Amino acid sequence: MKTTKTFVFFFIIFFLGSSAYPAIKRQHYPCKNLVLYFHDVIYNGKNAANATSAIVGAPQWGNLTILADQFHFGNIAVFDDPITLDNNFHSVPVGRAQGMYIYDTKNTFTAWLGFTFVLNSAQHKGTINFIGADPIMVKSRDISVVGGTGDFFMHRGIATVMTDSYEGDVYFRLRVDIKFYECW
Amino acid sequence: MKTTKTFVFFFIIFFLGSSAYPAIKRQHYPCKNLVLYFHDVIYNGKNAANATSAIVGAPQWGNLTILADQFHFGNIAVFDDPITLDNNFHSVPVGRAQGMYIYDTKNTFTAWLGFTFVLNSAQHKGTINFIGADPIMVKSRDISVVGGTGDFFMHRGIATVMTDSYEGDVYFRLRVDIKFYECW
Amino acid sequence: MKTTKTFVFFFIIFFLGSSAYPAIKRQHYPCKNLVLYFHDVIYNGKNAANATSAIVGAPQWGNLTILADQFHFGNIAVFDDPITLDNNFHSVPVGRAQGMYIYDTKNTFTAWLGFTFVLNSAQHKGTINFIGADPIMVKSRDISVVGGTGDFFMHRGIATVMTDSYEGDVYFRLRVDIKFYECW
């Protein structure tokens, strides 16, 4: 009997403790995973039919058809890129990556990302919202999944972004490894 | 006695289980609701006095007083729009919706939203931060509430956005049905 | 024995209750604190070597080297600013603040912020992502910490921003008091 009481007491302490301090250490174990690719073809004045993105902001020394000097610092691009399950540009898209990237360093390639995956396939319907810094020259970089809707209602997590391929300043493909740690 | 021990044991499993996996299924029940409207009058070169937003980014084929061809793809607008409790543009504002929207598709009207509700009324003081994709032609679309301050300290949730009215390319009114699922 | 059973029962109610309603009132007690400064030198056509930010979007009545009339409404600036531990511009940076700010009111100075702290020092490695409204003329204003990576894996919180110093339209320094309420 005494043991039980001690047990229960220990329990109260433990439980109240974790309830009162939401910042308890939680396990870093994803509740859901998704690996997706998206493909960006930037408008350069000649590829209107195929372009999926366009420069819409540039610094004083830049323009809207050629990415600016100094590692494209100051360029804002708006995009509506196809998302695929594999790295093939011609695969059937499962959704669209929509938003913007901003080149934001003068002495190397980095970008700031704000975008949404709008998924609409047999497997997934809903949106995933991303924000974060993208140090492009680093092999794998982490950004935040700050929210989601539909199948991804209230989800949060981390997305690991990798440049899977690129062709000069015209095309790049990103692999996005999404790990949700809050799934609801 | 045995029963009690089993009970307590079950408890430990249950509690540790939920602690170890933060991604347990949570109830989709809002802890707070807000329905608000905001009103956007975009600058078109002639309405400087009334305009609440302005085009500040455009693709190479666009300009800063007329929304661009191809469903306004590439236009960035900055806004400071009045928020009202009902759908009347002339109601006393309870705050301002501030941020940007980006038209981001070439073959239909969609936007990417990044903005904040800055509320300052007898009922609510604080800010609510939103991010998400807005497929404008869909009747009701969900974006993420990614954070808040003041009365909305650390809140998260979903905002359902509906176009309540629009007049050509000059005016639109959005109804925003905010459902908080994390309230602190 | 009866007492124990009652206890356990009380426990189940209490525990299930808090599990079922994620919106229980949580304590507003930071699990981690950081105070950092960042320094912004905006490009004005003459300071290319020192500038850490540049105007990349402007309304129709503006341009890309001078902040626009009407409280800079409509200006978008992209920045890559050094972060320091104290208020000295010449201190060794512990990271970079990267992203954008948007002036978004016509009758006072306010901005909308979307940016990331990329920290890389002996003490901190990782990123912190911020979103929010910045009513610049208010002494201290709160924005949301919507996510983090590395040392700040999945963190959320509030950042209190204060203008620590400014020199006309060329330089400003912000003090950012970051309080994390979710630490993982």
Side-chain angles (χ1 to χ4, degrees), chain A residues 76-123:
Chain A
I76 300 183
V78 170
F79 61 93
D80 169 41
D81 291 348
I83 301 171
T84 56
L85 294 174
D86 59 20
N87 66 4
N88 188 339
F89 181 68
H90 299 291
S91 295
V92 177
V94 293
R96 310 295 293 189
Q98 299 180 329
M100 63 169 177
Y101 52 86
I102 303 178
Y103 288 99
D104 61 6
T105 313
K106 289 197 284 185
N107 54 11
T108 184
F109 290 110
T110 72
W112 193 79
L113 308 176
F115 66 99
T116 300
F117 273 11
V118 182
L119 297 176
N120 189 13
S121 69
Q123 287 162 310

Side-chain angles (χ1 to χ4, degrees), chain A residues 1 4 8 11-12 15 20 23 25-26 28 57-58 60 74 100 102 104-106 112 131 144 156-158 181-182, chain C residues 1 4 7 11 14-15 18 27 31 43 48 51 56 64 78 80 98 100 114 116 129 147-148 154-156 184:
Chain A
M1 191 64 198
T4 311
V8 169
F11 237 78
I12 292 170
F15 178 61
K25 197 79 187 172
R26 307 181 217 190
H28 296 189
Q60 178 256 333
M100 63 169 177
I102 303 178
D104 61 6
T105 313
K106 289 197 284 185
W112 193 79
I131 292 285
S144 290
R156 287 181 71 233
I158 302 287
Y181 295 92
E182 287 191 31
Chain C
M1 189 66 198
T4 311
F7 236 66
F11 235 79
F14 189 47
F15 178 60
S18 63
Q27 246 190 6
C31 42
Y43 176 70
V56 305
L64 300 176
V78 171
D80 169 39
Q98 300 180 328
M100 62 170 178
T116 301
N129 293 314
M154 290 291 288
H155 286 37
R156 287 182 71 231
W184 287 68

Side-chain angles (χ1 to χ4, degrees), chain A residues 142-158:
Chain A
D142 285 349
I143 61 174
S144 290
V145 176
V146 296
T149 68
D151 289 355
F152 309 100
F153 174 85
M154 290 292 287
H155 285 38
R156 287 181 71 233
I158 302 287

Side-chain angles (χ1 to χ4, degrees), chain B residues 4 7 43 51 80 116 129, chain C residues 1 8 60 104 106 112 144 156:
Chain B
T4 311
F7 237 65
Y43 176 70
D80 169 39
T116 300
N129 294 314
Chain C
M1 189 66 198
V8 168
Q60 178 257 333
D104 60 7
K106 287 197 285 185
W112 193 79
S144 291
R156 287 182 71 231

Side-chain angles (χ1 to χ4, degrees), chain B residues 24-128:
Chain B
I24 49 164
K25 197 78 185 174
R26 308 180 216 190
Q27 247 191 4
H28 295 188
Y29 188 79
C31 42
K32 203 182 286 180
N33 270 289
L34 269 182
V35 177
L36 295 167
Y37 295 81
F38 71 96
H39 308 261
D40 190 85
V41 179
I42 198 158
Y43 176 70
N44 64 4
K46 300 168 207 158
N47 58 353
N50 297 322
T52 64
S53 68
I55 305 170
V56 305
Q60 177 257 333
W61 60 88
N63 64 60
L64 299 177
T65 44
I66 301 170
L67 289 162
D69 283 348
Q70 300 195 62
F71 298 87
H72 315 336
F73 180 72
N75 277 136
I76 300 184
V78 171
F79 62 94
D80 169 39
D81 291 349
I83 301 171
T84 56
L85 293 174
D86 59 19
N87 65 4
N88 188 338
F89 180 69
H90 299 291
S91 295
V92 177
V94 293
R96 309 295 294 187
Q98 300 181 328
M100 62 169 179
Y101 52 86
I102 302 177
Y103 288 100
D104 61 6
T105 313
K106 287 197 284 185
N107 54 11
T108 184
F109 289 110
T110 71
W112 193 79
L113 308 176
F115 66 101
T116 300
F117 273 10
V118 182
L119 297 175
N120 189 13
S121 70
Q123 286 162 310
H124 300 292
K125 290 199 197 312
T127 70
I128 308 170

Side-chain angles (χ1 to χ4, degrees), chain C residues 124-140:
Chain C
H124 300 291
K125 290 197 196 315
T127 70
I128 308 170
N129 293 314
F130 304 86
I131 292 286
D134 180 8
I136 297 167
M137 306 310 282
V138 177
K139 194 182 174 197
S140 110

